[in-house]
Amino acid sequence: MTRTFEKGDKYRPVVTVTKVKKDVPTVVEMSGRRYILEHKDQRSKKPMEVAEWT
């Protein structure tokens, strides 16, 4: 039996830390899914350039 969740519900999931960098968990697994920490400076803010074909 699976539990149905609604917005605002609180529960304690089982989280497995997969990777740690400088004492900060950067990759975790929860409910069979992998979550990766992304810092605000990690990606460039400009949109990807599109190559023009002639």
Side-chain angles (χ1 to χ4, degrees):
M1 181 174 157
T2 59
R3 180 177 167 190
T4 58
F5 296 101
E6 294 183 15
K7 186 175 179 179
D9 286 353
K10 296 180 182 180
Y11 70 102
R12 293 180 182 219
V14 176
V15 177
T16 304
V17 177
T18 308
K19 184 177 177 183
V20 176
K21 189 171 185 180
K22 297 183 182 178
D23 295 328
V24 176
T26 55
V27 180
V28 296
E29 289 185 13
M30 178 175 52
S31 301
R33 294 187 179 180
R34 187 174 177 194
Y35 294 91
I36 301 172
L37 175 66
E38 180 179 298
H39 295 282
K40 63 180 182 178
D41 300 335
Q42 190 168 353
R43 294 185 182 205
S44 63
K45 296 184 180 183
K46 67 178 187 176
M48 293 179 59
E49 296 178 16
V50 178
E52 293 184 23
W53 297 89
T54 57

